[in-house]
Amino acid sequence: MTLPSEAPRDPSRRRLVNRLLGGSFGALFAWILYPVLRFLEPVEVVEAAANQVEAGRADDPDLVANGFKIVPFGNDPVILVQTPEGEHRAFSATCTHLDCIVEYRPDRGLIWCNCHNGQFDLSGQVVGGPPPRPLRPYRVHAVEAEAGGAATLVIEKV
Ligand code: FES
Protein backbone atom coordinates (compact mmCIF):
# COMPACT_ATOMS: atom_id res chain seq x y z
CA MET A 1 0.00 0.00 0.00
CA THR A 2 1.32 3.42 -0.93
CA LEU A 3 0.67 6.58 0.97
CA PRO A 4 -0.48 9.70 -0.92
CA SER A 5 2.83 11.46 -0.20
CA GLU A 6 4.74 8.54 -1.62
CA ALA A 7 2.69 8.39 -4.78
CA PRO A 8 4.86 8.11 -7.88
CA ARG A 9 5.54 11.53 -9.32
CA ASP A 10 5.16 12.34 -12.98
CA PRO A 11 8.75 12.34 -14.33
CA SER A 12 7.91 14.48 -17.35
CA ARG A 13 6.45 17.18 -15.10
CA ARG A 14 9.53 17.13 -12.86
CA ARG A 15 11.76 17.36 -15.93
CA LEU A 16 9.77 20.36 -17.19
CA VAL A 17 10.09 22.19 -13.85
CA ASN A 18 13.83 21.44 -13.71
CA ARG A 19 14.30 22.80 -17.23
CA LEU A 20 12.33 25.95 -16.46
CA LEU A 21 14.35 26.56 -13.31
CA GLY A 22 17.64 25.83 -15.09
CA GLY A 23 16.72 28.17 -17.94
CA SER A 24 15.73 30.92 -15.51
CA PHE A 25 19.00 30.64 -13.60
CA GLY A 26 20.92 30.60 -16.87
CA ALA A 27 19.15 33.74 -18.08
CA LEU A 28 19.75 35.45 -14.73
CA PHE A 29 23.42 34.50 -14.82
CA ALA A 30 23.81 35.84 -18.38
CA TRP A 31 21.89 39.00 -17.47
CA ILE A 32 24.35 39.72 -14.66
CA LEU A 33 27.51 38.45 -16.31
CA TYR A 34 27.19 40.15 -19.72
CA PRO A 35 27.42 43.77 -18.48
CA VAL A 36 30.27 42.84 -16.15
CA LEU A 37 32.23 41.28 -19.01
CA ARG A 38 31.48 44.26 -21.28
CA PHE A 39 32.74 46.60 -18.57
CA LEU A 40 35.94 44.63 -18.07
CA GLU A 41 36.68 44.28 -21.78
CA PRO A 42 39.15 46.96 -22.90
CA VAL A 43 37.70 49.52 -25.29
CA GLU A 44 39.12 49.24 -28.76
CA VAL A 45 40.99 52.44 -29.57
CA VAL A 46 40.74 53.33 -33.22
CA GLU A 47 43.56 55.59 -34.24
CA ALA A 48 43.61 57.42 -37.49
CA ALA A 49 45.27 55.03 -39.88
CA ALA A 50 46.57 57.88 -41.93
CA ASN A 51 47.97 61.26 -41.06
CA GLN A 52 45.23 62.99 -42.98
CA VAL A 53 41.50 62.87 -43.60
CA GLU A 54 39.27 64.36 -46.26
CA ALA A 55 37.00 67.00 -44.78
CA GLY A 56 34.65 67.38 -47.71
CA ARG A 57 34.28 70.07 -50.31
CA ALA A 58 35.13 73.68 -49.65
CA ASP A 59 31.57 74.66 -50.62
CA ASP A 60 30.03 72.30 -48.06
CA PRO A 61 26.74 73.98 -47.01
CA ASP A 62 27.41 73.36 -43.29
CA LEU A 63 30.84 74.91 -43.51
CA VAL A 64 29.62 77.90 -45.50
CA ALA A 65 26.50 78.50 -43.36
CA ASN A 66 28.02 77.99 -39.91
CA GLY A 67 31.64 78.92 -40.60
CA PHE A 68 32.79 75.60 -39.20
CA LYS A 69 32.22 71.90 -39.09
CA ILE A 70 33.44 69.07 -36.91
CA VAL A 71 35.37 66.40 -38.77
CA PRO A 72 36.17 63.02 -37.22
CA PHE A 73 39.91 62.31 -37.30
CA GLY A 74 40.37 58.85 -35.80
CA ASN A 75 39.25 59.26 -32.20
CA ASP A 76 39.83 63.01 -32.26
CA PRO A 77 37.21 65.43 -33.50
CA VAL A 78 38.73 68.29 -35.44
CA ILE A 79 37.10 71.67 -35.93
CA LEU A 80 37.47 73.02 -39.46
CA VAL A 81 36.91 76.77 -39.52
CA GLN A 82 36.34 79.05 -42.48
CA THR A 83 37.53 82.52 -41.52
CA PRO A 84 35.72 85.64 -42.73
CA GLU A 85 38.53 85.99 -45.30
CA GLY A 86 37.70 82.52 -46.65
CA GLU A 87 40.79 80.86 -45.23
CA HIS A 88 40.46 77.36 -43.76
CA ARG A 89 42.02 76.42 -40.45
CA ALA A 90 41.75 73.28 -38.35
CA PHE A 91 42.33 72.51 -34.69
CA SER A 92 41.56 69.75 -32.29
CA ALA A 93 37.91 70.29 -31.34
CA THR A 94 38.52 68.98 -27.84
CA CYS A 95 38.76 71.79 -25.32
CA THR A 96 41.97 71.68 -23.30
CA HIS A 97 40.06 72.39 -20.09
CA LEU A 98 37.69 69.46 -19.56
CA ASP A 99 37.37 67.96 -23.05
CA CYS A 100 34.13 69.55 -24.23
CA ILE A 101 33.75 70.03 -27.98
CA VAL A 102 34.37 73.58 -29.11
CA GLU A 103 32.54 75.51 -31.83
CA TYR A 104 33.27 78.53 -33.95
CA ARG A 105 31.40 81.74 -33.21
CA PRO A 106 31.59 83.92 -36.32
CA ASP A 107 29.78 86.73 -34.48
CA ARG A 108 32.63 86.89 -31.95
CA GLY A 109 35.39 85.83 -34.33
CA LEU A 110 36.62 83.12 -32.01
CA ILE A 111 36.44 79.46 -31.18
CA TRP A 112 34.28 79.00 -28.14
CA CYS A 113 33.72 76.26 -25.59
CA ASN A 114 30.23 76.48 -24.17
CA CYS A 115 31.01 74.36 -21.12
CA HIS A 116 32.87 77.05 -19.15
CA ASN A 117 33.12 79.92 -21.66
CA GLY A 118 36.58 78.96 -22.84
CA GLN A 119 37.71 81.13 -25.75
CA PHE A 120 40.39 80.60 -28.39
CA ASP A 121 41.43 82.88 -31.22
CA LEU A 122 41.68 81.69 -34.82
CA SER A 123 45.25 80.59 -34.15
CA GLY A 124 44.00 78.26 -31.42
CA GLN A 125 45.52 80.37 -28.62
CA VAL A 126 43.59 80.80 -25.37
CA VAL A 127 42.12 84.29 -25.10
CA GLY A 128 39.66 83.75 -22.26
CA GLY A 129 38.19 81.30 -19.79
CA PRO A 130 39.79 78.39 -17.98
CA PRO A 131 41.49 76.34 -20.76
CA PRO A 132 45.15 75.91 -19.77
CA ARG A 133 46.59 75.25 -23.23
CA PRO A 134 45.95 76.23 -26.86
CA LEU A 135 44.09 73.95 -29.23
CA ARG A 136 46.33 71.57 -31.15
CA PRO A 137 46.61 72.80 -34.73
CA TYR A 138 46.15 70.76 -37.90
CA ARG A 139 47.19 71.71 -41.41
CA VAL A 140 44.50 72.24 -44.05
CA HIS A 141 45.11 72.11 -47.75
CA ALA A 142 42.80 72.15 -50.71
CA VAL A 143 42.94 69.59 -53.48
CA GLU A 144 41.55 71.16 -56.62
CA ALA A 145 38.80 69.26 -58.40
CA GLU A 146 39.62 68.03 -61.90
CA ALA A 147 36.30 69.11 -63.42
CA GLY A 148 36.55 72.65 -62.10
CA GLY A 149 34.22 72.13 -59.10
CA ALA A 150 34.93 73.12 -55.53
CA ALA A 151 38.19 71.91 -54.07
CA THR A 152 38.29 69.10 -51.53
CA LEU A 153 39.70 70.08 -48.14
CA VAL A 154 42.19 67.76 -46.54
CA ILE A 155 43.13 67.98 -42.88
CA GLU A 156 46.58 66.76 -41.94
CA LYS A 157 48.44 66.26 -38.69
CA VAL A 158 51.15 68.84 -38.14
S1 FES B 1 35.68 72.36 -20.95
FE1 FES B 1 36.04 74.00 -22.25
S2 FES B 1 36.12 75.68 -20.94
FE2 FES B 1 35.80 74.04 -19.61
Side-chain angles (χ1 to χ4, degrees), residues 23-126:
S24 299
F25 284 121
L28 178 67
F29 187 67
W31 182 70
I32 292 170
L33 193 62
Y34 179 74
V36 171
L37 290 177
R38 289 289 308 212
F39 177 75
L40 295 176
E41 182 182 353
V43 177
E44 184 178 331
V45 176
V46 180
E47 283 294 324
N51 281 338
Q52 62 183 30
V53 294
E54 275 192 20
R57 292 168 45 122
D59 63 353
D60 181 317
D62 283 344
L63 183 60
V64 172
N66 303 325
F68 79 101
K69 74 183 221 183
I70 303 294
V71 179
F73 196 119
N75 287 333
D76 280 334
V78 171
I79 183 168
L80 174 64
V81 175
Q82 182 171 306
T83 67
E85 296 78 29
E87 187 183 341
H88 294 102
R89 297 181 186 179
F91 304 94
S92 168
T94 305
C95 181
T96 56
H97 181 221
L98 292 177
D99 296 342
C100 289
I101 301 301
V102 297
E103 60 187 85
Y104 174 54
R105 292 285 305 264
D107 57 327
R108 296 161 128 191
L110 50 79
I111 297 168
W112 180 62
C113 177
N114 68 9
C115 285
H116 310 101
N117 196 28
Q119 298 161 33
F120 304 88
D121 65 15
L122 293 182
S123 301
Q125 299 300 314
V126 178

